[in-house]
Amino acid sequence: MTLSTVWGIISNILDICILWYMVYFLLKNLKNNIKMVLIFKGIIFIIIIKLLSNFLNLYAVGLILEYVIMWGPLALIIIFQPEIRTVLEQLGRSQLLGRHKVLSGSERERLVTEIMEAVEYLKKNRFGALIAIERDVSLQEYIAPATKIYADISSQILESLFYPNSALHDGGVIIQGTKVTCAGCVFKTSMDNKLSKNLGTRHRAALGLSEESDAIVLIVSEETGRISIALNGNMNYNLTYDEFKKMLYNELTPKTEIFYAADDGGDDNE
């Protein structure tokens, strides 16, 4: 086997890997971004109409669609500039192997315990709260203009930050690893028209952040005391205390750890 043959095999593998990651990134963002889904549906619709016009010999429709296809990409760049910029920012912020600190078992237990104690207190007293836990996608754009905290996680800190008389209680809090990084964050609200009108600003901000990142976003309603979690563009609304704790713990647990735990359980049953 010659050197050129080996290099050809390596370049083909590299080509496939890069293409696979591009497709994966596109599909991931399509799933989490409502506006991108609409763009994708529109492109598919135009392609289908174009194929039908060619099959049925619809000259006028086909001619118009040729111009649409020719100038469509430029129009999309102009019309959907904010959405495209958001996707490019996510690509720049994301890292292939992940960037967030993988918590040890004890760190994860402590983080969940402190958050749940704070959530129980906030729920009981009807103090609104919005807490984002950063994962692979960086939240630096929200951290930069916010009030820096950089303190070890504790229920007392979270409770004091969301106390009604606190200057920062209306904003969100970002947690990185086991640190409360900042407070007073302003997140972009979701533009999903299907959302219930009963959802307040906190819930819309939480959903908006979950649509453009993989953060775990925790919400305590000021009006009702209900607790919810926004994940991947979906709102898990009005959870029980146990449901909330279980979902939080599961999302903080690395998938490989869950996989190995399942394997161990399977061996014990044999």
Side-chain angles (χ1 to χ4, degrees):
M1 184 178 291
T2 63
L3 184 61
S4 59
T5 304
V6 174
W7 174 249
I9 295 173
I10 294 174
S11 63
N12 288 336
I13 294 174
L14 183 62
D15 189 26
I16 293 171
C17 290
I18 293 174
L19 180 61
W20 172 86
Y21 182 71
M22 290 172 62
V23 172
Y24 165 78
F25 182 80
L26 178 62
L27 293 177
K28 179 181 177 181
N29 281 277
L30 279 175
K31 182 184 73 171
N32 297 336
N33 193 307
I34 295 172
K35 294 181 180 179
M36 285 191 65
V37 171
L38 295 176
I39 295 173
F40 184 74
K41 286 181 178 179
I43 293 173
I44 295 298
F45 179 76
I46 290 174
I47 292 174
I48 292 174
I49 296 298
K50 176 59 178 174
L51 293 175
L52 286 176
S53 68
N54 291 341
F55 180 75
L56 299 174
N57 294 322
L58 303 177
Y59 176 78
V61 174
L63 183 63
I64 293 174
L65 288 178
E66 284 184 7
Y67 283 107
V68 171
I69 294 172
M70 182 185 303
W71 298 104
L74 180 60
L76 287 175
I77 291 174
I78 296 173
I79 296 173
F80 295 100
Q81 181 183 357
E83 288 73 25
I84 294 173
R85 184 174 65 249
T86 298
V87 172
L88 293 176
E89 287 174 352
Q90 288 181 11
L91 180 60
R93 293 196 302 260
S94 301
Q95 294 185 15
L96 184 61
L97 299 178
R99 65 175 303 279
H100 72 286
K101 176 184 177 184
V102 177
L103 301 174
S104 65
S106 59
E107 288 176 328
R108 188 162 58 246
E109 288 284 355
R110 178 169 175 267
L111 178 63
V112 172
T113 299
E114 296 295 337
I115 290 176
M116 293 311 301
E117 287 182 5
V119 165
E120 185 176 20
Y121 173 83
L122 296 168
K123 173 181 171 65
K124 180 180 178 180
N125 292 279
R126 299 286 179 89
F127 295 160
L130 179 58
I131 304 170
I133 303 175
E134 184 188 76
R135 293 200 282 185
D136 284 340
V137 178
S138 172
L139 302 180
Q140 187 58 39
E141 68 172 293
Y142 299 108
I143 295 172
T147 301
K148 309 303 183 296
I149 304 293
Y150 296 122
D152 290 334
I153 183 72
S154 72
S155 58
Q156 291 83 1
I157 287 178
L158 294 176
E159 291 166 12
S160 63
L161 287 173
F162 291 112
Y163 188 75
N165 291 333
S166 167
L168 302 172
H169 80 279
D170 280 333
V173 165
I174 292 178
I175 295 174
Q176 293 178 307
T178 57
K179 301 287 186 180
V180 178
T181 302
C182 61
C185 303
V186 179
F187 303 134
K188 300 173 184 176
T189 57
S190 175
M191 302 302 292
D192 187 357
N193 295 324
K194 296 180 182 179
L195 288 178
S196 171
K197 295 182 179 179
N198 295 327
L199 292 180
T201 305
R202 280 192 180 89
H203 289 82
R204 292 180 180 274
L207 197 58
L209 182 61
S210 72
E211 288 172 353
E212 65 172 27
S213 75
D214 63 347
I216 307 170
V217 194
L218 317 175
I219 313 102
V220 179
S221 173
E222 186 174 359
E223 290 77 17
T224 63
R226 291 173 178 171
I227 53 178
S228 310
I229 298 179
L231 285 171
N232 301 321
N234 296 312
M235 177 64 68
N236 301 279
Y237 185 66
N238 192 21
L239 300 172
T240 65
Y241 185 85
D242 289 337
E243 289 172 340
F244 189 96
K245 182 177 181 180
K246 182 179 179 181
M247 182 175 292
L248 175 60
Y249 192 87
N250 288 342
E251 290 298 325
L252 288 171
T253 303
K255 299 299 180 286
T256 52
E257 188 173 322
I258 295 175
F259 175 77
Y260 288 131
D263 281 354
D264 293 341
D267 293 339
D268 293 339
N269 293 330
E270 289 180 357

